[in-house]
Amino acid sequence: MNSYGSFPGARPRRLRTTPALRRMVAETRLHPADLILPAFVREGITEPVPIQAMPGVVQHTRDTLRKAAVEALEAGVSGIMLFGVPEDAKKDAAGTAGTDPDGILQVAIRDVRAEVGDELVIMSDLCLDEFTDHGHCGVLDADGRVDNDATLERYAEMAQVQADAGVHVVGPSGMMDGQVGVVRDALDTIGKEDVSILAYTAKYSSAFYGPFREAVGSSLQGDRKTYQQDPANLRESLRELALDLEEGADMVMVKPAGPYLDVLAKVAASVDVPVAAYQISGEYSMVEAAAEKGWIDRDKAILETLTGIRRAGAQMILTYWATEAAQKLSAGRR
């Protein structure tokens, strides 16, 4: 005992003494329903193709995508975000495979909807980058720049074919000015008022997208800095947020998640709509690579990163670990 009697009187460590006590007073809780699984489906393959830069993640066949959707549902995951990977020969300057009713993404939406119905929220990436031969998220003008307004016309078509295929939520991710409003109008015009929009409100031009480029077979040359946000800016995100909400966004998202937790927290504190964050490919691959080297505890790192994103304000987290993490969370509660 020291000479100050009961000093210190405040002992926060009292609430950390046992696992049960720490669990009882936890301020942030992860639940399987917080998670959304991004998944890639590739045209013209008969077996899943491993993505070298993302150990454990594959480009699915139509059949294995159905199985992955069922597995996610059974684990308690809330949603699946679909990305289509067309055959290279079908890519063109306008990304027409993205608006073909029989294109790989629309086929995949129908497959998953037939498999799981309304039990799993089926989401689709609404962007042209997977389908253009130049790899940009929109059509190019005569000077090789992304033409914002011409691209919006393509997004409107894309929204309609995805809705016709049975998607519950579209995710316009190209960061074109006015994209949410145009997509909302396009959906309402064909009587798809119930299809929701998850706005990619703050999507930064990030070095952490690298592995994703392999995942979707990107043809991109150059970068997307003229339309994705500058990593140096925060107020710009809040302006984008106000515009997306005004245009009819039902949910909003910050992407990437981990390097932008401050942005996520600011967005979450500013809105009364659900907020999502996307833990992107580079975030995933860094943990997997360090774990493979034996430098970190993989399972603990996965749950810690997800908890940090949840704590910052995300109600929904898109993560390539969604099914695995949901299974671990459910096992931990038994």
Side-chain angles (χ1 to χ4, degrees):
M1 179 179 294
N2 60 49
S3 59
Y4 297 101
S6 62
F7 178 84
R11 294 183 182 268
R13 288 182 56 191
R14 290 184 187 126
L15 300 183
R16 304 173 195 153
T17 53
T18 68
L21 188 54
R22 293 192 295 272
R23 183 171 63 249
M24 184 178 75
V25 302
E27 299 172 31
T28 303
R29 300 184 192 279
L30 271 177
H31 189 277
D34 300 333
L35 306 177
I36 297 166
L37 176 68
F40 308 100
V41 57
R42 179 173 167 181
E43 189 172 24
I45 58 174
T46 57
E47 297 290 337
V49 177
I51 299 168
Q52 297 301 316
M54 300 177 69
V57 180
V58 302
Q59 294 172 326
H60 284 287
T61 68
R62 290 174 60 187
D63 285 340
T64 64
L65 177 66
R66 292 188 192 97
K67 293 175 183 176
V70 170
E71 186 181 18
L73 173 61
E74 291 174 345
V77 170
S78 283
I80 186 167
M81 173 67 81
L82 302 178
F83 295 85
V85 184
E87 295 175 335
D88 284 344
K90 293 185 179 179
K91 294 182 180 183
D92 60 25
T96 53
T99 50
D100 180 353
D102 295 318
I104 183 59
L105 183 52
Q106 284 67 253
V107 169
I109 292 168
R110 290 195 290 271
D111 284 345
V112 175
R113 186 68 185 266
E115 192 72 36
V116 300
D118 293 331
E119 297 303 307
L120 188 68
V121 179
I122 302 167
M123 310 170 122
S124 55
D125 181 55
L126 199 165
C127 195
L128 292 173
D129 60 317
E130 297 100 312
F131 305 100
T132 55
D133 53 13
H134 47 72
H136 279 287
C137 297
V139 295
L140 305 182
D141 63 18
D143 297 318
R145 298 172 300 192
V146 175
D147 186 326
N148 191 94
D149 295 1
T151 297
L152 294 181
E153 295 180 19
R154 301 287 296 123
Y155 286 3
E157 296 176 55
M158 202 170 193
Q160 291 177 340
V161 296
Q162 292 179 358
D164 284 339
V167 78
H168 296 108
V169 180
V170 294
S173 62
M175 292 300 290
M176 297 298 119
D177 295 337
Q179 62 185 14
V180 172
V182 165
V183 167
R184 183 73 271 158
D185 286 346
L187 292 170
D188 293 351
T189 296
I190 61 168
K192 297 294 183 180
E193 295 90 352
D194 290 341
V195 174
S196 301
I197 298 176
L198 170 59
Y200 281 58
T201 292
K203 183 178 180 181
Y204 284 88
S205 178
S206 172
F208 293 97
Y209 294 129
F212 180 88
R213 305 275 164 81
E214 178 190 344
V216 297
S218 175
S219 304
L220 181 67
Q221 300 294 321
D223 58 49
R224 299 182 173 126
K225 292 182 179 180
T226 63
Y227 44 102
Q228 293 178 351
Q229 285 184 229
D230 186 334
N233 294 346
L234 170 60
R235 287 194 301 270
E236 184 178 34
S237 292
L238 300 181
R239 185 182 185 201
E240 294 276 6
L241 174 64
L243 291 168
D244 284 350
L245 293 174
E246 182 181 343
E247 292 173 22
D250 299 289
M251 300 170 278
V252 297
M253 184 159 67
V254 174
K255 179 180 181 182
Y260 298 92
L261 294 181
D262 61 323
V263 179
L264 174 59
K266 195 77 171 179
V267 167
S270 303
V271 300
D272 56 3
V273 299
V275 176
Y278 196 146
Q279 185 180 55
I280 67 169
S281 59
E283 298 175 74
Y284 172 94
S285 296
M286 286 194 301
V287 170
E288 292 288 348
E292 190 275 331
K293 291 283 191 181
W295 293 342
I296 60 173
D297 182 311
R298 177 181 179 275
D299 290 355
K300 290 180 180 178
I302 290 171
L303 294 180
E304 184 176 340
T305 61
L306 294 173
T307 299
I309 296 166
R310 184 75 178 84
R311 187 187 64 246
Q315 295 164 262
M316 304 167 291
I317 305 172
L318 287 82
T319 175
Y320 299 99
W321 289 305
T323 300
E324 178 185 351
Q327 292 166 341
K328 293 181 188 301
L329 290 168
S330 297
R333 288 198 300 273
R334 289 199 289 267

Coordinates of all heavy atoms in Angstrom, one line a residue, residues 106-155:
Q106 N -25.4 -9.4 -65.0 CA -26.8 -9.6 -64.9 C -27.2 -11.1 -64.8 O -28.1 -11.4 -64.0 CB -27.5 -9.0 -66.2 CG -27.6 -7.5 -66.2 CD -26.2 -6.8 -66.3 OE1 -25.7 -6.2 -65.3 NE2 -25.6 -6.9 -67.5
V107 N -26.5 -11.9 -65.4 CA -26.7 -13.4 -65.3 C -26.4 -13.8 -63.9 O -27.2 -14.6 -63.3 CB -25.8 -14.2 -66.3 CG1 -25.8 -15.6 -65.9 CG2 -26.2 -13.9 -67.7
A108 N -25.4 -13.3 -63.3 CA -25.0 -13.6 -61.9 C -26.1 -13.1 -60.9 O -26.4 -13.8 -59.9 CB -23.6 -13.0 -61.5
I109 N -26.6 -11.9 -61.1 CA -27.7 -11.4 -60.3 C -28.9 -12.4 -60.3 O -29.4 -12.8 -59.3 CB -28.1 -10.0 -60.7 CG1 -27.0 -9.0 -60.4 CG2 -29.4 -9.6 -60.0 CD1 -27.2 -7.7 -61.1
R110 N -29.2 -12.8 -61.5 CA -30.4 -13.7 -61.6 C -30.1 -15.1 -61.0 O -30.9 -15.6 -60.3 CB -30.7 -13.9 -63.1 CG -31.4 -12.7 -63.8 CD -32.0 -13.1 -65.1 NE -31.1 -13.4 -66.1 CZ -30.5 -12.5 -67.0 NH1 -30.8 -11.2 -66.9 NH2 -29.7 -12.9 -67.9
D111 N -28.8 -15.6 -61.1 CA -28.5 -16.8 -60.5 C -28.6 -16.7 -59.0 O -29.2 -17.6 -58.3 CB -27.0 -17.2 -60.8 CG -26.8 -17.7 -62.3 OD1 -27.8 -18.0 -62.9 OD2 -25.6 -17.7 -62.7
V112 N -28.0 -15.7 -58.4 CA -28.0 -15.6 -56.9 C -29.4 -15.4 -56.4 O -29.9 -15.9 -55.4 CB -27.1 -14.5 -56.5 CG1 -27.2 -14.3 -55.0 CG2 -25.6 -14.8 -56.9
R113 N -30.2 -14.5 -57.1 CA -31.6 -14.3 -56.7 C -32.4 -15.6 -56.7 O -33.2 -15.9 -55.8 CB -32.2 -13.2 -57.6 CG -33.6 -12.8 -57.2 CD -33.6 -12.0 -55.9 NE -34.9 -11.6 -55.4 CZ -35.5 -10.5 -55.6 NH1 -34.9 -9.5 -56.4 NH2 -36.7 -10.2 -55.1
A114 N -32.2 -16.4 -57.8 CA -32.9 -17.7 -57.9 C -32.5 -18.6 -56.7 O -33.3 -19.4 -56.2 CB -32.6 -18.4 -59.2
E115 N -31.3 -18.5 -56.3 CA -30.7 -19.4 -55.2 C -31.2 -19.0 -53.8 O -31.5 -19.8 -53.0 CB -29.2 -19.4 -55.3 CG -28.5 -20.5 -54.5 CD -28.7 -21.9 -55.1 OE1 -28.7 -22.0 -56.3 OE2 -28.9 -22.8 -54.3
V116 N -31.1 -17.7 -53.5 CA -31.4 -17.2 -52.2 C -32.6 -16.3 -52.0 O -33.0 -16.0 -50.9 CB -30.2 -16.5 -51.6 CG1 -29.0 -17.5 -51.5 CG2 -29.8 -15.2 -52.3
G117 N -33.2 -16.0 -53.1 CA -34.4 -15.1 -53.0 C -34.2 -13.8 -52.3 O -33.2 -13.1 -52.6
D118 N -35.0 -13.5 -51.4 CA -34.9 -12.3 -50.6 C -34.2 -12.5 -49.3 O -34.1 -11.6 -48.4 CB -36.3 -11.7 -50.3 CG -37.0 -11.2 -51.6 OD1 -36.3 -10.8 -52.5 OD2 -38.2 -11.2 -51.6
E119 N -33.7 -13.7 -49.0 CA -33.0 -14.0 -47.7 C -31.7 -13.3 -47.6 O -31.2 -13.1 -46.5 CB -32.9 -15.5 -47.6 CG -34.2 -16.3 -47.6 CD -35.1 -15.8 -46.5 OE1 -34.7 -15.8 -45.3 OE2 -36.3 -15.4 -46.8
L120 N -31.0 -13.0 -48.7 CA -29.7 -12.4 -48.7 C -29.9 -11.1 -49.5 O -30.5 -11.2 -50.6 CB -28.7 -13.3 -49.3 CG -27.2 -12.8 -49.2 CD1 -26.7 -12.8 -47.8 CD2 -26.3 -13.8 -50.1
V121 N -29.4 -10.0 -49.1 CA -29.5 -8.7 -49.9 C -28.5 -8.8 -51.0 O -27.3 -8.9 -50.8 CB -29.2 -7.5 -49.0 CG1 -29.3 -6.2 -49.9 CG2 -30.2 -7.4 -47.8
I122 N -29.0 -8.8 -52.2 CA -28.2 -8.9 -53.4 C -27.9 -7.5 -53.9 O -28.8 -6.7 -54.2 CB -28.9 -9.7 -54.5 CG1 -29.2 -11.1 -54.0 CG2 -28.0 -9.8 -55.8 CD1 -30.2 -11.9 -54.9
M123 N -26.6 -7.2 -54.0 CA -26.1 -5.9 -54.3 C -25.2 -6.0 -55.6 O -24.6 -7.1 -55.8 CB -25.3 -5.2 -53.2 CG -26.0 -5.3 -51.9 SD -24.8 -4.8 -50.5 CE -25.7 -3.4 -49.9
S124 N -25.2 -5.0 -56.4 CA -24.3 -5.0 -57.6 C -23.5 -3.8 -57.8 O -24.0 -2.7 -57.5 CB -25.2 -5.3 -58.8 OG -26.2 -4.3 -58.9
D125 N -22.3 -4.0 -58.2 CA -21.4 -2.8 -58.6 C -22.0 -2.2 -59.8 O -22.1 -2.9 -60.9 CB -20.0 -3.3 -58.8 CG -19.1 -2.2 -59.1 OD1 -19.0 -1.2 -58.3 OD2 -18.4 -2.2 -60.1
L126 N -22.3 -0.9 -59.8 CA -22.8 -0.2 -60.9 C -21.7 0.7 -61.4 O -21.5 1.9 -61.0 CB -24.0 0.6 -60.5 CG -25.0 1.0 -61.7 CD1 -26.3 1.5 -61.1 CD2 -24.4 2.2 -62.5
C127 N -20.8 0.2 -62.3 CA -19.7 0.9 -62.8 C -19.2 0.2 -64.1 O -19.5 -1.0 -64.3 CB -18.5 0.9 -61.8 SG -17.2 2.1 -62.1
L128 N -18.5 0.9 -64.9 CA -18.1 0.4 -66.2 C -16.7 -0.1 -66.3 O -16.3 -0.7 -67.3 CB -18.3 1.5 -67.3 CG -19.7 1.9 -67.6 CD1 -19.7 3.1 -68.5 CD2 -20.5 0.8 -68.2
D129 N -15.9 0.1 -65.2 CA -14.5 -0.2 -65.3 C -14.2 -1.7 -65.7 O -13.2 -2.0 -66.4 CB -13.8 0.2 -64.1 CG -14.2 -0.5 -62.8 OD1 -15.5 -0.6 -62.7 OD2 -13.4 -0.9 -62.0
E130 N -15.0 -2.6 -65.2 CA -14.8 -4.0 -65.5 C -15.0 -4.3 -67.0 O -14.6 -5.3 -67.5 CB -15.7 -4.9 -64.7 CG -15.4 -4.9 -63.2 CD -16.5 -4.0 -62.5 OE1 -16.7 -2.9 -62.9 OE2 -17.0 -4.5 -61.4
F131 N -15.8 -3.5 -67.6 CA -16.3 -3.8 -69.0 C -15.7 -3.0 -70.1 O -16.0 -3.2 -71.3 CB -17.9 -3.6 -69.0 CG -18.5 -4.4 -67.9 CD1 -19.0 -3.8 -66.7 CD2 -18.8 -5.8 -68.1 CE1 -19.6 -4.5 -65.7 CE2 -19.4 -6.5 -67.1 CZ -19.8 -5.9 -65.9
T132 N -14.9 -1.9 -69.7 CA -14.3 -1.1 -70.8 C -12.9 -1.6 -71.1 O -12.2 -2.1 -70.3 CB -14.2 0.4 -70.3 OG1 -13.5 0.4 -69.1 CG2 -15.6 1.0 -70.1
D133 N -12.6 -1.4 -72.4 CA -11.2 -1.9 -72.8 C -10.1 -0.9 -72.4 O -8.9 -1.3 -72.4 CB -11.2 -2.1 -74.3 CG -11.6 -0.9 -75.1 OD1 -11.8 0.2 -74.5 OD2 -11.9 -1.0 -76.3
H134 N -10.5 0.3 -71.9 CA -9.5 1.2 -71.4 C -9.5 1.2 -69.9 O -8.6 1.8 -69.3 CB -9.8 2.6 -71.9 CG -11.3 3.0 -71.7 ND1 -11.8 3.3 -70.5 CD2 -12.2 3.2 -72.7 CE1 -13.1 3.6 -70.7 NE2 -13.4 3.6 -72.0
G135 N -10.4 0.5 -69.2 CA -10.4 0.3 -67.8 C -10.9 1.4 -66.9 O -10.9 1.3 -65.7
H136 N -11.4 2.5 -67.6 CA -11.9 3.6 -66.8 C -13.3 3.4 -66.4 O -14.0 2.5 -67.0 CB -11.7 5.0 -67.5 CG -10.4 5.5 -67.4 ND1 -9.9 6.1 -66.2 CD2 -9.3 5.6 -68.3 CE1 -8.7 6.5 -66.4 NE2 -8.3 6.2 -67.6
C137 N -13.8 4.2 -65.5 CA -15.2 4.0 -64.9 C -16.3 4.6 -65.8 O -17.4 4.6 -65.4 CB -15.3 4.5 -63.5 SG -14.2 3.6 -62.4
G138 N -15.9 5.2 -66.9 CA -16.9 5.8 -67.8 C -16.4 5.8 -69.2 O -15.3 5.3 -69.5
V139 N -17.2 6.4 -70.1 CA -16.8 6.6 -71.5 C -15.9 7.8 -71.6 O -15.9 8.7 -70.8 CB -18.0 6.7 -72.4 CG1 -18.9 5.4 -72.3 CG2 -18.9 7.9 -72.0
L140 N -15.0 7.7 -72.6 CA -14.0 8.8 -72.8 C -14.4 9.7 -73.9 O -15.1 9.3 -74.9 CB -12.7 8.1 -73.2 CG -12.1 7.1 -72.2 CD1 -10.7 6.6 -72.7 CD2 -12.0 7.6 -70.8
D141 N -14.0 11.0 -73.8 CA -14.3 12.0 -74.8 C -13.1 11.9 -75.9 O -12.2 11.1 -75.8 CB -14.5 13.4 -74.3 CG -13.2 13.9 -73.6 OD1 -12.1 13.4 -73.8 OD2 -13.4 14.9 -72.8
A142 N -13.2 12.8 -76.8 CA -12.2 12.8 -77.9 C -10.8 13.1 -77.4 O -9.8 12.7 -78.1 CB -12.6 13.9 -78.9
D143 N -10.6 13.7 -76.2 CA -9.3 13.9 -75.7 C -8.9 12.9 -74.7 O -7.8 13.0 -74.0 CB -9.3 15.3 -75.0 CG -9.6 16.4 -76.0 OD1 -9.0 16.4 -77.1 OD2 -10.3 17.4 -75.6
G144 N -9.6 11.8 -74.6 CA -9.3 10.7 -73.7 C -9.6 10.9 -72.2 O -9.1 10.2 -71.4
R145 N -10.4 11.9 -72.0 CA -10.9 12.2 -70.6 C -12.2 11.5 -70.3 O -13.0 11.4 -71.3 CB -11.0 13.7 -70.3 CG -9.6 14.4 -70.5 CD -9.8 15.9 -70.4 NE -10.7 16.4 -71.5 CZ -10.9 17.7 -71.8 NH1 -10.2 18.6 -71.2 NH2 -11.7 18.0 -72.8
V146 N -12.5 11.1 -69.1 CA -13.8 10.6 -68.8 C -14.9 11.6 -68.9 O -14.8 12.7 -68.3 CB -13.8 9.9 -67.4 CG1 -15.2 9.4 -67.0 CG2 -12.8 8.8 -67.3
D147 N -15.8 11.3 -69.7 CA -16.9 12.3 -70.0 C -18.0 12.0 -69.0 O -18.7 11.0 -69.1 CB -17.4 12.0 -71.4 CG -18.5 13.0 -71.9 OD1 -19.3 13.5 -71.0 OD2 -18.5 13.4 -73.1
N148 N -18.2 12.9 -68.1 CA -19.1 12.7 -66.9 C -20.5 12.5 -67.4 O -21.2 11.5 -67.0 CB -19.1 14.0 -66.0 CG -19.8 13.8 -64.7 OD1 -19.2 13.4 -63.7 ND2 -21.1 14.0 -64.7
D149 N -21.1 13.4 -68.2 CA -22.5 13.3 -68.6 C -22.8 12.2 -69.5 O -23.9 11.5 -69.4 CB -23.0 14.6 -69.1 CG -22.9 15.8 -68.1 OD1 -22.4 15.5 -67.0 OD2 -23.2 16.9 -68.4
A150 N -21.9 11.9 -70.4 CA -22.1 10.7 -71.3 C -22.0 9.4 -70.5 O -22.8 8.5 -70.7 CB -21.0 10.7 -72.4
T151 N -21.2 9.4 -69.4 CA -21.1 8.2 -68.6 C -22.4 8.1 -67.8 O -22.9 6.9 -67.5 CB -19.9 8.4 -67.6 OG1 -18.7 8.4 -68.4 CG2 -19.9 7.2 -66.6
L152 N -23.0 9.2 -67.3 CA -24.3 9.1 -66.6 C -25.4 8.3 -67.4 O -26.2 7.6 -66.9 CB -24.8 10.4 -66.2 CG -23.9 11.2 -65.2 CD1 -24.6 12.6 -64.9 CD2 -23.7 10.4 -63.9
E153 N -25.4 8.6 -68.7 CA -26.4 7.9 -69.6 C -26.1 6.4 -69.5 O -27.1 5.6 -69.5 CB -26.3 8.4 -71.0 CG -26.7 9.9 -71.2 CD -26.5 10.3 -72.6 OE1 -26.5 9.5 -73.5 OE2 -26.5 11.5 -72.8
R154 N -24.9 6.0 -69.5 CA -24.6 4.5 -69.4 C -24.9 4.0 -68.1 O -25.4 2.9 -68.0 CB -23.1 4.3 -69.7 CG -22.6 4.9 -71.0 CD -23.1 4.0 -72.2 NE -22.5 2.6 -72.1 CZ -23.2 1.5 -72.0 NH1 -24.5 1.6 -72.0 NH2 -22.6 0.3 -71.9
Y155 N -24.7 4.8 -67.0 CA -25.1 4.3 -65.7 C -26.6 4.1 -65.6 O -27.1 3.2 -64.9 CB -24.6 5.3 -64.6 CG -23.1 5.3 -64.3 CD1 -22.3 4.5 -65.0 CD2 -22.6 6.1 -63.4 CE1 -20.9 4.5 -64.8 CE2 -21.3 6.2 -63.1 CZ -20.4 5.4 -63.8 OH -19.1 5.4 -63.5

